[in-house]
Amino acid sequence: MTQERVTYRLHPGVSPMAVVRDGPPDALGPAVRLVPDPDRPARDRLRSARAFHLHAENGTPLARVVTEQTLGSRLSGRPAVYLVLDPSGAPVGRIELRRRRAFRPGRTRWTVHPVTGPHLHGYQGRLMWWALWWPLGLPVSLIWLVTSLLGESDGGIRPPRRIIWRDTSGRAHLVFRAVAEDFRLLTSAVDPRLVNALVALHQSFDPSEGAGAEGWYESP
């Protein structure tokens, strides 16, 4: 079943942080609060450990995200793996972040493995835009970086960021629209708890410009 005009966006202006949903109502409500786990683990070397809760607006627990495996180095290619659990501790699914390996072609990949439902794979950026970014965007971005260190500028050109999550048949289920900084849900086949967890995880690694350089998870 296809859903129309359903979008998710991280709302930086509320506390605790929330993923806000725009579209027909669902069982989780219009907003899901993100509450860092008070017993979250210390930062690992690559700052990839995550532990937080998803709460309804009235405070009802919806799910919990914990780190099963932290990121490895660019050379190892070891992905970060996050478990999404329901309030009783039963698994809802797993979310995997695999970065491009050093000295090898490829793109960062986000994978969603639900307990029930299709497995989804999403690659950061389209190949066409990456083909333009490496010879054109990267040198310009490096110039912006140097001038910003000298205090003469405060911005730059970001690499391609759009992601489309597809199942094994190639059907698109979820899209991260980098310009709009939101997530467009295209089907109802994905558990909304997994969608909210994915939005929160993605935006903790790739925050919008208005959310600060370290993302919502590192914010005080």
Side-chain angles (χ1 to χ4, degrees), residues 55-148:
H55 288 175
E57 287 192 280
N58 62 5
T60 301
L62 300 173
R64 181 187 181 200
V65 177
V66 297
T67 302
E68 181 180 64
Q69 176 176 280
T70 57
L71 271 173
S73 69
R74 292 276 189 179
L75 291 174
S76 72
R78 188 184 73 196
V81 181
Y82 304 97
L83 298 180
V84 183
L85 310 172
D86 72 11
S88 69
V92 177
R94 295 165 56 244
I95 296 174
E96 179 182 294
L97 166 61
R98 185 181 295 274
R99 299 187 301 174
R100 180 184 65 83
R101 296 187 68 174
F103 311 114
R104 293 189 182 185
R107 293 174 289 171
T108 294
R109 184 181 73 190
W110 286 90
T111 307
V112 181
H113 300 279
V115 172
T116 59
H119 291 202
L120 308 179
H121 301 276
Y123 293 88
Q124 179 180 325
R126 295 184 177 183
L127 290 175
M128 177 185 69
W129 293 118
W130 278 113
L132 294 173
W133 161 258
W134 287 112
L136 300 176
L138 180 59
V140 173
S141 185
L142 291 176
I143 293 172
W144 274 101
L145 176 61
V146 172
T147 56
S148 65

Side-chain angles (χ1 to χ4, degrees), residues 9-57:
R9 181 191 300 271
L10 197 67
H11 195 307
V14 297
S15 181
M17 190 69 69
V19 176
V20 179
R21 184 181 189 276
D22 177 20
D26 71 356
L28 303 189
V32 170
R33 303 290 180 177
L34 307 177
V35 183
D37 195 318
D39 298 322
R40 56 183 170 175
R43 293 176 177 175
D44 58 295
R45 183 173 62 87
L46 297 178
R47 300 173 69 172
S48 63
R50 299 287 186 271
F52 58 91
H53 298 265
L54 307 179
H55 288 175
E57 287 192 280

